[in-house]
Each structure stands twice: as structure tokens, then as C-alpha cells.
Amino acid sequence: NGAFPAEACRIMARIVANAEEGRNVEQEYAFVRDFTPKPMSTLESIVSCASQAAIDLRAGLIVVFTMHGRSSRLVAKYRPPVPVLMVTPDAQTARLHAARFACYPVVVDSSGSIDQLDVLLKDALDYAQKHRLCPDGSEVVVVHGTNEVWTDVKAVMEFALAPGEVSPFFSHRSEEQVASYSCTKINLPRVLDPALPFRKTKIVCTMGPKCWDADTMGALLDAGMNVARMNFSHGTHEGHLTVLETFRAVAA
């Protein structure tokens, strides 16, 4: 609610993306897996391997087909090093998971027949490239169901390749490329290609009265806001409803 909300959000987004470059994803994955009660469910056992596969393959994206978001939620639990494109036919599921770590939902109109998998996957990869979620030519980890593409009961993991040529600057950081795990990545490609990778940590903005006009809302979205929070300790329910309707119109 300060004088420069969009600028503050933009700086926060860059700080977060920069900090993610110094994550020790192998240790994070091992920590979560070691402290998860055993035996795991069959679904969690498979989808947790998707995060491990993304690490081992230096993949660029994980695609999860899900009806209710259970499988994508489990993938996110293991803090994957790449974005998770969550493909779902349910708009409410997409909204509920938009704030989850690494998850970027997309709503599709599909019955979920396994025969549609190839078409849905191609559309998902096209969407990922259009929104710069996935580097050209990178490995993609795909999690889908057995009798239908949705994975909320049984899951299968396979692999695909994103269209295009591999970027010479695309590579996950290694220990040799990081000054320390609390510092930033400093290898040569990072210097030559200053564009930050796609951010997996989400930004929640509590919007005060100075952010209630459509232009400021649009600027916040462009700056990197993922979730808009309203403080009902102030204002009226009717006033917040007006703000919500304005925000939905801007975000549409």
C-alpha cells in the first residue's frame, strides 16, 4: 500500500528468482523424502520420482495431468527444480493450486480419455513455450493416468522433449557454479544471459486502497503478483466485492 507497489513487487520477484538459483535441490528433495512417513501411497511414490527425474535429467519442465490437483500437489511437495505445468479440466482446482510452489495451472476442455494424451501433451508443451515455462529442446517429465489422463488415483511417468533447439545457456546449476548456497549463481552463461529463470516461488500481495484501481492491479500482475490478498479488517464487504470484481476483470 506504499507509493510504489508495482516496483516493490517487481524487485521482490527478481530477488526470489535470484535466490532460487542458489538452492541445493538434491538436499531439499532428500530431506523431504527422508522425513515423509513410510510406506508412501502408490501415487506419492510415483510422483515424487518425477521431481527426482527432473533433477537427474536436468529437465526443463514437469507436466502433470490431474483432475483434483492431488498429484501436482505431491510433486510440489518435493520442491522440484523446474516449473510444474498442471493440466486440469477443473477451473476451481486450477484456482486453488495457482499459489502452490512451482505450479502453473492451465484449464483444458477434455474428457480425459487416454487416447487424447498425445494431443493434450502437445498443447501443454506449446502453452509452456509460449509462456516461457520451458526452454527449447529440454527434457520434459510427464505424469499422467493409466485408464484416463488424470492422475488422482493411478499414475504413470514418462518423458518427452520440448520442441526447438537446446539453448546454449540452459543448464541447471552445479556446486561448482555456485559461490555458496546462500549466494547467487555466478557462472559465465549467467553473466552473458541476465534473464532470470521462471520463478517457482509465488508472490502474495495484500492490496490496500492505493492498489484498488484497474491500472495498478494490472501493473502488479505484470510485475509478478501471483495471489491478491484482501484485508477484511478494513473496509466493507461491499467495497471488497467491488475490488474483487475489478481484479477479476483485469486478470481475465
Side-chain angles (χ1 to χ4, degrees), residues 1-2 5 9 203-221 225-232 234-235 240 242-248 250:
N1 202 31
C9 184
I203 294 177
V204 180
C205 297
T206 301
M207 299 198 303
K210 288 188 177 181
C211 302
W212 288 353
D213 62 279
D215 289 341
T216 304
M217 290 179 183
L220 284 169
L221 287 169
M225 176 177 68
N226 299 106
V227 179
R229 176 180 178 270
M230 297 181 185
N231 186 354
F232 277 71
H234 307 284
H240 284 298
T242 301
V243 174
L244 178 59
E245 291 172 344
T246 302
F247 180 75
R248 284 177 171 168
V250 171

PDB file of all heavy atoms in Angstrom, residues 1-2 5 9 203-221 225-232 234-235 240 242-248 250:
ATOM      1  N   ASN A   1       0.831  -1.199   0.000  1.00  0.00           N
ATOM      2  CA  ASN A   1       0.000   0.000   0.000  1.00  0.00           C
ATOM      3  C   ASN A   1       0.867   1.250   0.000  1.00  0.00           C
ATOM      4  O   ASN A   1       0.419   2.319   0.367  1.00  0.00           O
ATOM      5  CB  ASN A   1      -0.932  -0.009   1.212  1.00  0.00           C
ATOM      6  CG  ASN A   1      -2.148   0.877   0.998  1.00  0.00           C
ATOM      7  OD1 ASN A   1      -2.602   1.030  -0.131  1.00  0.00           O
ATOM      8  ND2 ASN A   1      -2.656   1.471   2.060  1.00  0.00           N
ATOM      9  N   GLY A   2       2.146   1.112  -0.364  1.00  0.00           N
ATOM     10  CA  GLY A   2       3.038   2.257  -0.395  1.00  0.00           C
ATOM     11  C   GLY A   2       2.910   3.023  -1.693  1.00  0.00           C
ATOM     12  O   GLY A   2       1.986   2.827  -2.479  1.00  0.00           O
ATOM     13  N   PRO A   5       3.879   0.300  -5.374  1.00  0.00           N
ATOM     14  CA  PRO A   5       3.556  -1.124  -5.186  1.00  0.00           C
ATOM     15  C   PRO A   5       4.079  -2.016  -6.307  1.00  0.00           C
ATOM     16  O   PRO A   5       4.613  -3.098  -6.047  1.00  0.00           O
ATOM     17  CB  PRO A   5       2.024  -1.135  -5.137  1.00  0.00           C
ATOM     18  CG  PRO A   5       1.601   0.132  -5.806  1.00  0.00           C
ATOM     19  CD  PRO A   5       2.672   1.130  -5.516  1.00  0.00           C
ATOM     20  N   CYS A   9       6.905  -5.027  -5.989  1.00  0.00           N
ATOM     21  CA  CYS A   9       6.605  -6.397  -6.395  1.00  0.00           C
ATOM     22  C   CYS A   9       7.618  -6.894  -7.419  1.00  0.00           C
ATOM     23  O   CYS A   9       8.067  -8.043  -7.357  1.00  0.00           O
ATOM     24  CB  CYS A   9       5.190  -6.464  -6.959  1.00  0.00           C
ATOM     25  SG  CYS A   9       4.639  -8.128  -7.389  1.00  0.00           S
ATOM     26  N   ILE A 203       4.270 -15.004  -5.244  1.00  0.00           N
ATOM     27  CA  ILE A 203       4.227 -13.732  -4.525  1.00  0.00           C
ATOM     28  C   ILE A 203       2.778 -13.388  -4.203  1.00  0.00           C
ATOM     29  O   ILE A 203       1.926 -13.333  -5.095  1.00  0.00           O
ATOM     30  CB  ILE A 203       4.871 -12.607  -5.354  1.00  0.00           C
ATOM     31  CG1 ILE A 203       6.368 -12.880  -5.521  1.00  0.00           C
ATOM     32  CG2 ILE A 203       4.648 -11.250  -4.701  1.00  0.00           C
ATOM     33  CD1 ILE A 203       7.077 -11.864  -6.377  1.00  0.00           C
ATOM     34  N   VAL A 204       2.513 -13.165  -2.922  1.00  0.00           N
ATOM     35  CA  VAL A 204       1.184 -12.782  -2.444  1.00  0.00           C
ATOM     36  C   VAL A 204       1.221 -11.306  -2.073  1.00  0.00           C
ATOM     37  O   VAL A 204       2.067 -10.882  -1.284  1.00  0.00           O
ATOM     38  CB  VAL A 204       0.767 -13.618  -1.217  1.00  0.00           C
ATOM     39  CG1 VAL A 204      -0.620 -13.211  -0.741  1.00  0.00           C
ATOM     40  CG2 VAL A 204       0.804 -15.106  -1.547  1.00  0.00           C
ATOM     41  N   CYS A 205       0.326 -10.526  -2.642  1.00  0.00           N
ATOM     42  CA  CYS A 205       0.271  -9.088  -2.368  1.00  0.00           C
ATOM     43  C   CYS A 205      -1.028  -8.752  -1.639  1.00  0.00           C
ATOM     44  O   CYS A 205      -2.115  -9.076  -2.126  1.00  0.00           O
ATOM     45  CB  CYS A 205       0.339  -8.282  -3.662  1.00  0.00           C
ATOM     46  SG  CYS A 205       1.874  -8.480  -4.588  1.00  0.00           S
ATOM     47  N   THR A 206      -0.896  -8.132  -0.469  1.00  0.00           N
ATOM     48  CA  THR A 206      -2.065  -7.609   0.230  1.00  0.00           C
ATOM     49  C   THR A 206      -2.367  -6.230  -0.338  1.00  0.00           C
ATOM     50  O   THR A 206      -1.565  -5.309  -0.211  1.00  0.00           O
ATOM     51  CB  THR A 206      -1.807  -7.511   1.740  1.00  0.00           C
ATOM     52  OG1 THR A 206      -1.484  -8.815   2.247  1.00  0.00           O
ATOM     53  CG2 THR A 206      -3.041  -6.994   2.462  1.00  0.00           C
ATOM     54  N   MET A 207      -3.507  -6.099  -0.981  1.00  0.00           N
ATOM     55  CA  MET A 207      -3.817  -4.876  -1.713  1.00  0.00           C
ATOM     56  C   MET A 207      -4.627  -3.911  -0.853  1.00  0.00           C
ATOM     57  O   MET A 207      -5.747  -4.219  -0.433  1.00  0.00           O
ATOM     58  CB  MET A 207      -4.581  -5.206  -2.994  1.00  0.00           C
ATOM     59  CG  MET A 207      -3.803  -6.095  -3.945  1.00  0.00           C
ATOM     60  SD  MET A 207      -4.461  -6.066  -5.620  1.00  0.00           S
ATOM     61  CE  MET A 207      -6.144  -6.566  -5.331  1.00  0.00           C
ATOM     62  N   GLY A 208      -4.022  -2.751  -0.597  1.00  0.00           N
ATOM     63  CA  GLY A 208      -4.713  -1.693   0.121  1.00  0.00           C
ATOM     64  C   GLY A 208      -5.410  -0.752  -0.844  1.00  0.00           C
ATOM     65  O   GLY A 208      -5.409  -0.966  -2.063  1.00  0.00           O
ATOM     66  N   PRO A 209      -5.998   0.325  -0.328  1.00  0.00           N
ATOM     67  CA  PRO A 209      -6.770   1.251  -1.176  1.00  0.00           C
ATOM     68  C   PRO A 209      -5.997   1.811  -2.364  1.00  0.00           C
ATOM     69  O   PRO A 209      -6.588   2.066  -3.414  1.00  0.00           O
ATOM     70  CB  PRO A 209      -7.163   2.365  -0.197  1.00  0.00           C
ATOM     71  CG  PRO A 209      -7.192   1.691   1.138  1.00  0.00           C
ATOM     72  CD  PRO A 209      -6.090   0.681   1.098  1.00  0.00           C
ATOM     73  N   LYS A 210      -4.676   1.989  -2.234  1.00  0.00           N
ATOM     74  CA  LYS A 210      -3.901   2.538  -3.345  1.00  0.00           C
ATOM     75  C   LYS A 210      -3.747   1.553  -4.499  1.00  0.00           C
ATOM     76  O   LYS A 210      -3.278   1.932  -5.572  1.00  0.00           O
ATOM     77  CB  LYS A 210      -2.521   2.984  -2.854  1.00  0.00           C
ATOM     78  CG  LYS A 210      -2.552   4.237  -1.989  1.00  0.00           C
ATOM     79  CD  LYS A 210      -1.157   4.743  -1.706  1.00  0.00           C
ATOM     80  CE  LYS A 210      -1.199   6.035  -0.899  1.00  0.00           C
ATOM     81  NZ  LYS A 210       0.157   6.556  -0.620  1.00  0.00           N
ATOM     82  N   CYS A 211      -4.125   0.307  -4.260  1.00  0.00           N
ATOM     83  CA  CYS A 211      -3.989  -0.720  -5.300  1.00  0.00           C
ATOM     84  C   CYS A 211      -5.338  -1.150  -5.857  1.00  0.00           C
ATOM     85  O   CYS A 211      -5.431  -2.166  -6.547  1.00  0.00           O
ATOM     86  CB  CYS A 211      -3.262  -1.948  -4.734  1.00  0.00           C
ATOM     87  SG  CYS A 211      -1.635  -1.619  -4.065  1.00  0.00           S
ATOM     88  N   TRP A 212      -6.374  -0.411  -5.572  1.00  0.00           N
ATOM     89  CA  TRP A 212      -7.710  -0.859  -5.939  1.00  0.00           C
ATOM     90  C   TRP A 212      -8.161  -0.401  -7.322  1.00  0.00           C
ATOM     91  O   TRP A 212      -9.251  -0.756  -7.756  1.00  0.00           O
ATOM     92  CB  TRP A 212      -8.723  -0.394  -4.889  1.00  0.00           C
ATOM     93  CG  TRP A 212      -8.607  -1.151  -3.597  1.00  0.00           C
ATOM     94  CD1 TRP A 212      -7.817  -2.233  -3.352  1.00  0.00           C
ATOM     95  CD2 TRP A 212      -9.293  -0.878  -2.375  1.00  0.00           C
ATOM     96  NE1 TRP A 212      -7.954  -2.662  -2.059  1.00  0.00           N
ATOM     97  CE2 TRP A 212      -8.862  -1.845  -1.425  1.00  0.00           C
ATOM     98  CE3 TRP A 212     -10.221   0.084  -1.974  1.00  0.00           C
ATOM     99  CZ2 TRP A 212      -9.339  -1.870  -0.118  1.00  0.00           C
ATOM    100  CZ3 TRP A 212     -10.696   0.054  -0.670  1.00  0.00           C
ATOM    101  CH2 TRP A 212     -10.265  -0.918   0.251  1.00  0.00           C
ATOM    102  N   ASP A 213      -7.368   0.404  -8.006  1.00  0.00           N
ATOM    103  CA  ASP A 213      -7.763   0.803  -9.354  1.00  0.00           C
ATOM    104  C   ASP A 213      -7.217  -0.198 -10.364  1.00  0.00           C
ATOM    105  O   ASP A 213      -6.231  -0.906 -10.114  1.00  0.00           O
ATOM    106  CB  ASP A 213      -7.248   2.207  -9.671  1.00  0.00           C
ATOM    107  CG  ASP A 213      -5.737   2.278  -9.646  1.00  0.00           C
ATOM    108  OD1 ASP A 213      -5.166   2.385  -8.533  1.00  0.00           O
ATOM    109  OD2 ASP A 213      -5.119   2.190 -10.715  1.00  0.00           O
ATOM    110  N   ALA A 214      -7.862  -0.268 -11.509  1.00  0.00           N
ATOM    111  CA  ALA A 214      -7.532  -1.287 -12.507  1.00  0.00           C
ATOM    112  C   ALA A 214      -6.099  -1.159 -13.015  1.00  0.00           C
ATOM    113  O   ALA A 214      -5.416  -2.168 -13.237  1.00  0.00           O
ATOM    114  CB  ALA A 214      -8.516  -1.201 -13.670  1.00  0.00           C
ATOM    115  N   ASP A 215      -5.616   0.058 -13.202  1.00  0.00           N
ATOM    116  CA  ASP A 215      -4.260   0.245 -13.729  1.00  0.00           C
ATOM    117  C   ASP A 215      -3.207  -0.315 -12.780  1.00  0.00           C
ATOM    118  O   ASP A 215      -2.252  -0.983 -13.208  1.00  0.00           O
ATOM    119  CB  ASP A 215      -3.993   1.728 -13.986  1.00  0.00           C
ATOM    120  CG  ASP A 215      -4.786   2.261 -15.169  1.00  0.00           C
ATOM    121  OD1 ASP A 215      -5.250   1.437 -15.986  1.00  0.00           O
ATOM    122  OD2 ASP A 215      -4.947   3.495 -15.269  1.00  0.00           O
ATOM    123  N   THR A 216      -3.374  -0.052 -11.480  1.00  0.00           N
ATOM    124  CA  THR A 216      -2.403  -0.551 -10.508  1.00  0.00           C
ATOM    125  C   THR A 216      -2.474  -2.067 -10.397  1.00  0.00           C
ATOM    126  O   THR A 216      -1.451  -2.741 -10.271  1.00  0.00           O
ATOM    127  CB  THR A 216      -2.641   0.087  -9.127  1.00  0.00           C
ATOM    128  OG1 THR A 216      -2.587   1.512  -9.254  1.00  0.00           O
ATOM    129  CG2 THR A 216      -1.583  -0.361  -8.131  1.00  0.00           C
ATOM    130  N   MET A 217      -3.682  -2.612 -10.448  1.00  0.00           N
ATOM    131  CA  MET A 217      -3.818  -4.070 -10.420  1.00  0.00           C
ATOM    132  C   MET A 217      -3.099  -4.703 -11.603  1.00  0.00           C
ATOM    133  O   MET A 217      -2.385  -5.701 -11.461  1.00  0.00           O
ATOM    134  CB  MET A 217      -5.298  -4.461 -10.448  1.00  0.00           C
ATOM    135  CG  MET A 217      -6.061  -4.144  -9.183  1.00  0.00           C
ATOM    136  SD  MET A 217      -7.797  -4.626  -9.356  1.00  0.00           S
ATOM    137  CE  MET A 217      -8.467  -4.073  -7.790  1.00  0.00           C
ATOM    138  N   GLY A 218      -3.280  -4.118 -12.781  1.00  0.00           N
ATOM    139  CA  GLY A 218      -2.603  -4.637 -13.958  1.00  0.00           C
ATOM    140  C   GLY A 218      -1.096  -4.532 -13.837  1.00  0.00           C
ATOM    141  O   GLY A 218      -0.362  -5.451 -14.234  1.00  0.00           O
ATOM    142  N   ALA A 219      -0.621  -3.429 -13.260  1.00  0.00           N
ATOM    143  CA  ALA A 219       0.823  -3.255 -13.074  1.00  0.00           C
ATOM    144  C   ALA A 219       1.376  -4.288 -12.101  1.00  0.00           C
ATOM    145  O   ALA A 219       2.485  -4.809 -12.290  1.00  0.00           O
ATOM    146  CB  ALA A 219       1.111  -1.841 -12.573  1.00  0.00           C
ATOM    147  N   LEU A 220       0.621  -4.606 -11.054  1.00  0.00           N
ATOM    148  CA  LEU A 220       1.059  -5.622 -10.093  1.00  0.00           C
ATOM    149  C   LEU A 220       1.132  -7.002 -10.748  1.00  0.00           C
ATOM    150  O   LEU A 220       2.075  -7.763 -10.510  1.00  0.00           O
ATOM    151  CB  LEU A 220       0.109  -5.658  -8.895  1.00  0.00           C
ATOM    152  CG  LEU A 220       0.259  -4.528  -7.876  1.00  0.00           C
ATOM    153  CD1 LEU A 220      -0.912  -4.529  -6.903  1.00  0.00           C
ATOM    154  CD2 LEU A 220       1.575  -4.650  -7.119  1.00  0.00           C
ATOM    155  N   LEU A 221       0.147  -7.321 -11.564  1.00  0.00           N
ATOM    156  CA  LEU A 221       0.170  -8.604 -12.263  1.00  0.00           C
ATOM    157  C   LEU A 221       1.367  -8.680 -13.207  1.00  0.00           C
ATOM    158  O   LEU A 221       2.056  -9.700 -13.282  1.00  0.00           O
ATOM    159  CB  LEU A 221      -1.134  -8.808 -13.033  1.00  0.00           C
ATOM    160  CG  LEU A 221      -2.374  -9.119 -12.185  1.00  0.00           C
ATOM    161  CD1 LEU A 221      -3.632  -9.029 -13.040  1.00  0.00           C
ATOM    162  CD2 LEU A 221      -2.267 -10.499 -11.551  1.00  0.00           C
ATOM    163  N   MET A 225       2.922 -10.433  -9.415  1.00  0.00           N
ATOM    164  CA  MET A 225       1.992 -10.875  -8.377  1.00  0.00           C
ATOM    165  C   MET A 225       1.276 -12.146  -8.817  1.00  0.00           C
ATOM    166  O   MET A 225       0.759 -12.226  -9.928  1.00  0.00           O
ATOM    167  CB  MET A 225       0.964  -9.783  -8.079  1.00  0.00           C
ATOM    168  CG  MET A 225      -0.101 -10.199  -7.074  1.00  0.00           C
ATOM    169  SD  MET A 225      -1.262  -8.875  -6.645  1.00  0.00           S
ATOM    170  CE  MET A 225      -2.142  -8.676  -8.205  1.00  0.00           C
ATOM    171  N   ASN A 226       1.239 -13.148  -7.934  1.00  0.00           N
ATOM    172  CA  ASN A 226       0.538 -14.395  -8.218  1.00  0.00           C
ATOM    173  C   ASN A 226      -0.786 -14.511  -7.486  1.00  0.00           C
ATOM    174  O   ASN A 226      -1.718 -15.145  -7.968  1.00  0.00           O
ATOM    175  CB  ASN A 226       1.409 -15.596  -7.843  1.00  0.00           C
ATOM    176  CG  ASN A 226       2.701 -15.641  -8.611  1.00  0.00           C
ATOM    177  OD1 ASN A 226       3.758 -15.349  -8.075  1.00  0.00           O
ATOM    178  ND2 ASN A 226       2.634 -15.990  -9.890  1.00  0.00           N
ATOM    179  N   VAL A 227      -0.855 -13.922  -6.289  1.00  0.00           N
ATOM    180  CA  VAL A 227      -2.061 -14.017  -5.469  1.00  0.00           C
ATOM    181  C   VAL A 227      -2.381 -12.639  -4.911  1.00  0.00           C
ATOM    182  O   VAL A 227      -1.495 -11.958  -4.372  1.00  0.00           O
ATOM    183  CB  VAL A 227      -1.876 -15.012  -4.298  1.00  0.00           C
ATOM    184  CG1 VAL A 227      -3.141 -15.077  -3.445  1.00  0.00           C
ATOM    185  CG2 VAL A 227      -1.520 -16.395  -4.818  1.00  0.00           C
ATOM    186  N   ALA A 228      -3.633 -12.230  -5.049  1.00  0.00           N
ATOM    187  CA  ALA A 228      -4.087 -10.966  -4.457  1.00  0.00           C
ATOM    188  C   ALA A 228      -4.801 -11.268  -3.145  1.00  0.00           C
ATOM    189  O   ALA A 228      -5.729 -12.078  -3.110  1.00  0.00           O
ATOM    190  CB  ALA A 228      -5.020 -10.237  -5.410  1.00  0.00           C
ATOM    191  N   ARG A 229      -4.354 -10.627  -2.083  1.00  0.00           N
ATOM    192  CA  ARG A 229      -4.947 -10.835  -0.761  1.00  0.00           C
ATOM    193  C   ARG A 229      -5.669  -9.559  -0.334  1.00  0.00           C
ATOM    194  O   ARG A 229      -5.158  -8.458  -0.524  1.00  0.00           O
ATOM    195  CB  ARG A 229      -3.860 -11.183   0.260  1.00  0.00           C
ATOM    196  CG  ARG A 229      -4.356 -11.320   1.691  1.00  0.00           C
ATOM    197  CD  ARG A 229      -3.213 -11.659   2.638  1.00  0.00           C
ATOM    198  NE  ARG A 229      -3.658 -11.750   4.011  1.00  0.00           N
ATOM    199  CZ  ARG A 229      -3.696 -10.734   4.867  1.00  0.00           C
ATOM    200  NH1 ARG A 229      -3.301  -9.524   4.473  1.00  0.00           N
ATOM    201  NH2 ARG A 229      -4.111 -10.904   6.100  1.00  0.00           N
ATOM    202  N   MET A 230      -6.842  -9.730   0.253  1.00  0.00           N
ATOM    203  CA  MET A 230      -7.614  -8.584   0.736  1.00  0.00           C
ATOM    204  C   MET A 230      -7.740  -8.658   2.248  1.00  0.00           C
ATOM    205  O   MET A 230      -8.016  -9.723   2.801  1.00  0.00           O
ATOM    206  CB  MET A 230      -8.999  -8.556   0.086  1.00  0.00           C
ATOM    207  CG  MET A 230      -8.950  -8.385  -1.412  1.00  0.00           C
ATOM    208  SD  MET A 230     -10.577  -8.322  -2.157  1.00  0.00           S
ATOM    209  CE  MET A 230     -10.128  -8.265  -3.894  1.00  0.00           C
ATOM    210  N   ASN A 231      -7.556  -7.534   2.894  1.00  0.00           N
ATOM    211  CA  ASN A 231      -7.615  -7.459   4.351  1.00  0.00           C
ATOM    212  C   ASN A 231      -9.012  -6.999   4.768  1.00  0.00           C
ATOM    213  O   ASN A 231      -9.357  -5.819   4.655  1.00  0.00           O
ATOM    214  CB  ASN A 231      -6.550  -6.494   4.868  1.00  0.00           C
ATOM    215  CG  ASN A 231      -6.468  -6.497   6.385  1.00  0.00           C
ATOM    216  OD1 ASN A 231      -7.275  -7.133   7.067  1.00  0.00           O
ATOM    217  ND2 ASN A 231      -5.490  -5.787   6.928  1.00  0.00           N
ATOM    218  N   PHE A 232      -9.814  -7.936   5.272  1.00  0.00           N
ATOM    219  CA  PHE A 232     -11.188  -7.616   5.639  1.00  0.00           C
ATOM    220  C   PHE A 232     -11.288  -6.937   7.004  1.00  0.00           C
ATOM    221  O   PHE A 232     -12.385  -6.681   7.484  1.00  0.00           O
ATOM    222  CB  PHE A 232     -12.043  -8.886   5.612  1.00  0.00           C
ATOM    223  CG  PHE A 232     -12.536  -9.236   4.241  1.00  0.00           C
ATOM    224  CD1 PHE A 232     -11.665  -9.716   3.282  1.00  0.00           C
ATOM    225  CD2 PHE A 232     -13.862  -9.060   3.895  1.00  0.00           C
ATOM    226  CE1 PHE A 232     -12.101 -10.030   2.015  1.00  0.00           C
ATOM    227  CE2 PHE A 232     -14.320  -9.368   2.624  1.00  0.00           C
ATOM    228  CZ  PHE A 232     -13.437  -9.853   1.673  1.00  0.00           C
ATOM    229  N   HIS A 234     -10.329  -4.039   7.304  1.00  0.00           N
ATOM    230  CA  HIS A 234     -10.608  -2.667   6.889  1.00  0.00           C
ATOM    231  C   HIS A 234     -11.624  -2.688   5.753  1.00  0.00           C
ATOM    232  O   HIS A 234     -11.690  -3.641   4.982  1.00  0.00           O
ATOM    233  CB  HIS A 234      -9.325  -1.968   6.430  1.00  0.00           C
ATOM    234  CG  HIS A 234      -8.213  -2.042   7.428  1.00  0.00           C
ATOM    235  ND1 HIS A 234      -8.176  -1.268   8.554  1.00  0.00           N
ATOM    236  CD2 HIS A 234      -7.105  -2.833   7.467  1.00  0.00           C
ATOM    237  CE1 HIS A 234      -7.088  -1.557   9.249  1.00  0.00           C
ATOM    238  NE2 HIS A 234      -6.421  -2.508   8.616  1.00  0.00           N
ATOM    239  N   GLY A 235     -12.397  -1.640   5.637  1.00  0.00           N
ATOM    240  CA  GLY A 235     -13.367  -1.545   4.561  1.00  0.00           C
ATOM    241  C   GLY A 235     -14.617  -2.360   4.837  1.00  0.00           C
ATOM    242  O   GLY A 235     -14.812  -2.926   5.918  1.00  0.00           O
ATOM    243  N   HIS A 240     -15.118  -4.496  -0.807  1.00  0.00           N
ATOM    244  CA  HIS A 240     -14.181  -5.532  -1.237  1.00  0.00           C
ATOM    245  C   HIS A 240     -14.732  -6.316  -2.425  1.00  0.00           C
ATOM    246  O   HIS A 240     -13.962  -6.772  -3.284  1.00  0.00           O
ATOM    247  CB  HIS A 240     -13.875  -6.482  -0.077  1.00  0.00           C
ATOM    248  CG  HIS A 240     -12.931  -5.910   0.934  1.00  0.00           C
ATOM    249  ND1 HIS A 240     -11.635  -5.552   0.623  1.00  0.00           N
ATOM    250  CD2 HIS A 240     -13.097  -5.622   2.251  1.00  0.00           C
ATOM    251  CE1 HIS A 240     -11.033  -5.080   1.707  1.00  0.00           C
ATOM    252  NE2 HIS A 240     -11.899  -5.108   2.708  1.00  0.00           N
ATOM    253  N   THR A 242     -16.514  -5.059  -4.811  1.00  0.00           N
ATOM    254  CA  THR A 242     -16.242  -4.213  -5.977  1.00  0.00           C
ATOM    255  C   THR A 242     -14.789  -4.357  -6.419  1.00  0.00           C
ATOM    256  O   THR A 242     -14.483  -4.468  -7.615  1.00  0.00           O
ATOM    257  CB  THR A 242     -16.546  -2.743  -5.648  1.00  0.00           C
ATOM    258  OG1 THR A 242     -17.919  -2.615  -5.269  1.00  0.00           O
ATOM    259  CG2 THR A 242     -16.266  -1.851  -6.850  1.00  0.00           C
ATOM    260  N   VAL A 243     -13.876  -4.372  -5.437  1.00  0.00           N
ATOM    261  CA  VAL A 243     -12.454  -4.549  -5.749  1.00  0.00           C
ATOM    262  C   VAL A 243     -12.220  -5.913  -6.393  1.00  0.00           C
ATOM    263  O   VAL A 243     -11.476  -6.041  -7.375  1.00  0.00           O
ATOM    264  CB  VAL A 243     -11.601  -4.400  -4.475  1.00  0.00           C
ATOM    265  CG1 VAL A 243     -10.142  -4.735  -4.767  1.00  0.00           C
ATOM    266  CG2 VAL A 243     -11.719  -2.992  -3.919  1.00  0.00           C
ATOM    267  N   LEU A 244     -12.864  -6.941  -5.851  1.00  0.00           N
ATOM    268  CA  LEU A 244     -12.698  -8.293  -6.390  1.00  0.00           C
ATOM    269  C   LEU A 244     -13.191  -8.372  -7.831  1.00  0.00           C
ATOM    270  O   LEU A 244     -12.536  -8.973  -8.695  1.00  0.00           O
ATOM    271  CB  LEU A 244     -13.455  -9.291  -5.517  1.00  0.00           C
ATOM    272  CG  LEU A 244     -13.428 -10.757  -5.975  1.00  0.00           C
ATOM    273  CD1 LEU A 244     -11.996 -11.271  -6.042  1.00  0.00           C
ATOM    274  CD2 LEU A 244     -14.267 -11.620  -5.039  1.00  0.00           C
ATOM    275  N   GLU A 245     -14.325  -7.764  -8.102  1.00  0.00           N
ATOM    276  CA  GLU A 245     -14.856  -7.788  -9.466  1.00  0.00           C
ATOM    277  C   GLU A 245     -13.932  -7.042 -10.424  1.00  0.00           C
ATOM    278  O   GLU A 245     -13.727  -7.470 -11.566  1.00  0.00           O
ATOM    279  CB  GLU A 245     -16.262  -7.184  -9.476  1.00  0.00           C
ATOM    280  CG  GLU A 245     -17.297  -8.059  -8.774  1.00  0.00           C
ATOM    281  CD  GLU A 245     -18.639  -7.373  -8.629  1.00  0.00           C
ATOM    282  OE1 GLU A 245     -18.683  -6.122  -8.798  1.00  0.00           O
ATOM    283  OE2 GLU A 245     -19.633  -8.064  -8.339  1.00  0.00           O
ATOM    284  N   THR A 246     -13.366  -5.934  -9.949  1.00  0.00           N
ATOM    285  CA  THR A 246     -12.409  -5.194 -10.779  1.00  0.00           C
ATOM    286  C   THR A 246     -11.178  -6.037 -11.060  1.00  0.00           C
ATOM    287  O   THR A 246     -10.684  -6.107 -12.190  1.00  0.00           O
ATOM    288  CB  THR A 246     -11.991  -3.886 -10.082  1.00  0.00           C
ATOM    289  OG1 THR A 246     -13.147  -3.091  -9.826  1.00  0.00           O
ATOM    290  CG2 THR A 246     -11.016  -3.098 -10.944  1.00  0.00           C
ATOM    291  N   PHE A 247     -10.694  -6.713 -10.019  1.00  0.00           N
ATOM    292  CA  PHE A 247      -9.492  -7.537 -10.176  1.00  0.00           C
ATOM    293  C   PHE A 247      -9.739  -8.686 -11.152  1.00  0.00           C
ATOM    294  O   PHE A 247      -8.894  -8.992 -12.001  1.00  0.00           O
ATOM    295  CB  PHE A 247      -9.057  -8.081  -8.819  1.00  0.00           C
ATOM    296  CG  PHE A 247      -7.828  -8.945  -8.893  1.00  0.00           C
ATOM    297  CD1 PHE A 247      -6.579  -8.378  -9.065  1.00  0.00           C
ATOM    298  CD2 PHE A 247      -7.925 -10.321  -8.817  1.00  0.00           C
ATOM    299  CE1 PHE A 247      -5.443  -9.165  -9.153  1.00  0.00           C
ATOM    300  CE2 PHE A 247      -6.800 -11.120  -8.901  1.00  0.00           C
ATOM    301  CZ  PHE A 247      -5.560 -10.535  -9.070  1.00  0.00           C
ATOM    302  N   ARG A 248     -10.886  -9.328 -11.042  1.00  0.00           N
ATOM    303  CA  ARG A 248     -11.195 -10.435 -11.953  1.00  0.00           C
ATOM    304  C   ARG A 248     -11.275  -9.954 -13.395  1.00  0.00           C
ATOM    305  O   ARG A 248     -10.858 -10.658 -14.324  1.00  0.00           O
ATOM    306  CB  ARG A 248     -12.509 -11.099 -11.535  1.00  0.00           C
ATOM    307  CG  ARG A 248     -12.358 -11.995 -10.304  1.00  0.00           C
ATOM    308  CD  ARG A 248     -13.679 -12.573  -9.861  1.00  0.00           C
ATOM    309  NE  ARG A 248     -13.496 -13.588  -8.825  1.00  0.00           N
ATOM    310  CZ  ARG A 248     -14.476 -14.101  -8.098  1.00  0.00           C
ATOM    311  NH1 ARG A 248     -15.730 -13.681  -8.290  1.00  0.00           N
ATOM    312  NH2 ARG A 248     -14.230 -15.018  -7.182  1.00  0.00           N
ATOM    313  N   VAL A 250      -9.599  -7.399 -14.630  1.00  0.00           N
ATOM    314  CA  VAL A 250      -8.234  -7.089 -15.067  1.00  0.00           C
ATOM    315  C   VAL A 250      -7.462  -8.370 -15.363  1.00  0.00           C
ATOM    316  O   VAL A 250      -6.709  -8.457 -16.344  1.00  0.00           O
ATOM    317  CB  VAL A 250      -7.500  -6.266 -13.988  1.00  0.00           C
ATOM    318  CG1 VAL A 250      -6.021  -6.117 -14.334  1.00  0.00           C
ATOM    319  CG2 VAL A 250      -8.148  -4.900 -13.835  1.00  0.00           C
TER     320      VAL A 250
END
